[in-house]
Amino acid sequence: MPTRRDVLISSGSALVGATLLPGTAPASEIKPKRASGHTVATSEDAEALSAAVDSEPVCLSDYEALARERAPKMAFEYISGGAADEITLKWNRESYDKLRLQPRIFVDVSKLDTRVKLFDQELPFPILLAPTAYHRLVHPEGEIATARGAGAAGATMVAGMLATVPVEDIAKAATGPLWFQTYILKDRAFTRDLIQRAEGVGCKALCITSDSPVVGVRNRDARANFSLPPNLERANLRGLMRTGGNLRPPEGDIYTPILDASLTWKEIEWLRSFARVPVLLKGVLNPDDAELAIKSGASGIIVSNHGARNLDTVPPTIDILPEVVDKVAGRIPILCDSGIRRGTDVLKALALGANAVLIGRPYLYGLAVGGDAGVTRVINIIKNEFKVAMALSGRPTTASIDGSVIWK
Ligand SMILES: Cc1cc2nc3c(=O)[nH]c(=O)nc-3n(C[C@H](O)[C@H](O)[C@H](O)COP(=O)(O)O)c2cc1C
């Protein structure tokens, strides 16, 4: 039986309406848009349509449902998909769901302190936007809108190397802190230049994607015939395009024209020799690699399975996190991503030792549904859920969130 919400969505009538959360954009800023290809056919649908005017997405999965309707199918498949059979994609969620919380009562939670310190930066709350590619697939302003949305919510955005607008333009639009993510490309001079461009426009940290010597098996992309539409470009890679800015391996090959499958730890030392901001290694899954990351001079690590888009059947990051945290023993900050959808997930990741978390797909769904206001709202929803989780678990400060929050 379809639910009322399914009816709303499948009749193409789900509109973004009034806002409920403090600090979010007024509804008028969120442009209502109907899903294409559907008509209101029955009186029941018409009733659903009028009800939908007042309805709005209230949690991150609501945004996913709306984005499925709104975004071009090829773009939605690209964003939502994982590698191969999507086993890790499923586990990423299941592991968070399985963890149970252990609250305390009669703790004064009338004031909450959600701040965390990373390097010399103070974040008002421990949720960042993970680097993701090609934002103009789902919104004409792409990363510009994302930067505005992140700034309005007070979140740090990690701008991606594979952005569809140059990092200089993202920085101009940004009203909040910006970090930059890059791969170490075969063309080292280009990589160095790109990092210096990002530092030059004020990016305060670098995330080096370390888990992608090749691209994962993406059956969903292949089935949806995913390719970057001709009107969009990998704007940071202008100049590299002649040597092939493409990430797709030639037919019958696994190696892409630009990613370097020969990278070893010495490239991190090379990078450290000129980087002027903290360098984080993104994609650490093994405690031994966490140790090597510290030895190579990394300032931080991101425990990530790339949102389950690379090597299928690796464990969910929340399962690995405690082992990595043990090994690192507080020497450098640890961030964590992949599958975080609820404020309780943020609480769980912090309880198991993460200093902060990142979200990927959810803010892209917000961007697809409501542009910059949609991004802001997605962040505000999960931020407020995190506050509720802190209050109801009796942990008034981020410092007070420890392993005892998890029910043994
Ligand atoms: C559409 C999309 C594009 C992505 N592009 C990149 C990328 O270019 N570089 C990178 O390091 N990670 C990339 N990621 C991974 C994210 O940085 C992050 O690790 C992941 O999305 C977190 O999982 P979540 O989407 O379940 O929150 C991408 C993720 C998505 C969904």
Side-chain angles (χ1 to χ4, degrees):
M1 271 293 283
T3 61
R4 180 171 177 76
R5 175 155 199 92
D6 293 336
V7 172
L8 298 185
I9 290 170
S10 69
S11 67
S13 58
L15 304 178
V16 180
T19 53
L20 288 175
L21 292 165
T24 55
S28 56
E29 285 177 26
I30 305 173
K31 293 184 187 55
K33 189 174 139 197
R34 243 172 247 175
S36 58
H38 299 280
T39 50
V40 177
T42 65
S43 58
E44 195 187 322
D45 284 348
E47 186 203 323
L49 174 62
S50 65
V53 174
D54 296 326
S55 79
E56 62 168 330
V58 298
C59 62
L60 272 45
S61 60
D62 282 358
Y63 272 98
E64 177 172 359
L66 281 177
R68 184 187 294 277
E69 289 298 306
R70 302 275 176 82
K73 182 174 164 52
M74 184 186 78
F76 183 81
E77 293 295 293
Y78 168 70
I79 292 168
S80 60
D85 295 313
E86 304 188 336
I87 308 281
T88 297
L89 190 66
K90 185 164 63 91
W91 288 346
N92 274 349
R93 278 303 321 145
E94 284 176 358
S95 274
Y96 277 107
D97 290 346
K98 264 194 227 142
L99 287 173
R100 296 170 306 159
L101 292 167
Q102 176 157 257
R104 298 301 305 259
I105 55 172
F106 293 125
V107 177
D108 181 355
V109 291
S110 59
K111 285 197 192 73
L112 296 175
D113 186 353
T114 58
R115 290 172 302 171
V116 288
K117 202 146 188 229
L118 283 180
F119 317 114
D120 57 351
Q121 302 162 38
E122 186 176 276
L123 276 57
F125 52 92
I127 306 165
L128 298 87
L129 300 194
T132 57
Y134 311 146
H135 294 193
R136 288 189 62 212
L137 278 176
V138 292
H139 191 274
E141 287 186 300
E143 289 81 1
I144 300 280
T146 307
R148 275 197 217 113
T156 294
M157 170 184 178
V158 186
M161 180 192 90
L162 294 173
T164 41
V165 296
V167 64
E168 289 81 359
D169 295 358
I170 301 175
K172 256 184 238 150
T175 53
L178 204 60
W179 292 9
F180 187 68
Q181 168 271 335
T182 188
Y183 297 82
I184 300 178
L185 301 169
K186 280 180 189 160
D187 188 333
R188 296 285 197 280
F190 192 96
T191 308
R192 182 183 183 134
D193 186 54
L194 182 57
I195 287 172
Q196 289 173 340
R197 280 170 54 196
E199 289 177 338
V201 295
C203 293
K204 292 182 172 171
L206 283 175
C207 299
I208 303 299
T209 303
S210 311
D211 59 5
S212 307
V214 299
V215 175
V217 171
R218 304 264 179 86
N219 291 162
R220 237 196 304 157
D221 288 5
R223 289 192 194 106
N225 274 324
F226 176 76
S227 66
L228 195 62
N231 61 325
L232 302 187
E233 61 165 339
R234 297 172 187 87
N236 287 320
L237 303 184
R238 286 173 196 158
L240 192 68
M241 304 314 266
R242 268 179 295 115
T243 50
N246 202 342
L247 276 157
R248 183 176 287 195
E251 182 67 33
D253 199 354
I254 66 164
Y255 299 108
T256 74
I258 59 167
L259 297 180
D260 190 344
S262 75
L263 298 179
T264 64
W265 290 99
K266 66 180 189 311
E267 273 75 27
I268 302 305
E269 284 162 31
W270 164 75
L271 203 138
R272 291 288 311 137
S273 72
F274 63 87
R276 287 187 284 115
V277 296
V279 171
L280 294 91
L281 302 190
K282 176 173 183 284
V284 174
L285 291 178
N286 190 312
D288 293 338
D289 283 339
E291 184 65 41
L292 291 174
I294 295 172
K295 288 212 170 87
S296 72
S299 308
I301 55 173
I302 305 179
V303 177
S304 169
N305 57 34
H306 213 110
R309 296 164 76 82
N310 268 1
L311 183 60
D312 199 18
T313 69
V314 295
T317 52
I318 193 70
D319 287 6
I320 301 169
L321 185 63
E323 276 182 62
V324 175
V325 167
D326 266 4
K327 184 68 120 183
V328 169
R331 286 174 287 172
I332 52 172
I334 299 174
L335 281 71
C336 175
D337 75 14
S338 302
I340 290 161
R341 300 291 178 269
R342 284 285 186 187
T344 42
D345 300 337
V346 182
L347 184 75
K348 289 169 184 178
L350 264 60
L352 293 177
N355 297 84
V357 303
L358 305 96
I359 53 169
R361 294 176 183 87
Y363 77 81
L364 290 175
Y365 300 141
L367 180 67
V369 170
D372 59 345
V375 172
T376 303
R377 188 134 197 288
V378 161
I379 300 164
N380 281 339
I381 286 174
I382 190 164
K383 178 172 64 178
N384 279 10
E385 285 183 356
F386 174 55
K387 284 183 179 170
V388 171
M390 285 174 74
L392 290 179
S393 64
R395 267 68 176 195
T397 65
T398 44
S400 67
I401 301 171
D402 60 16
S404 66
V405 185
I406 307 288
W407 199 288
K408 299 287 179 309

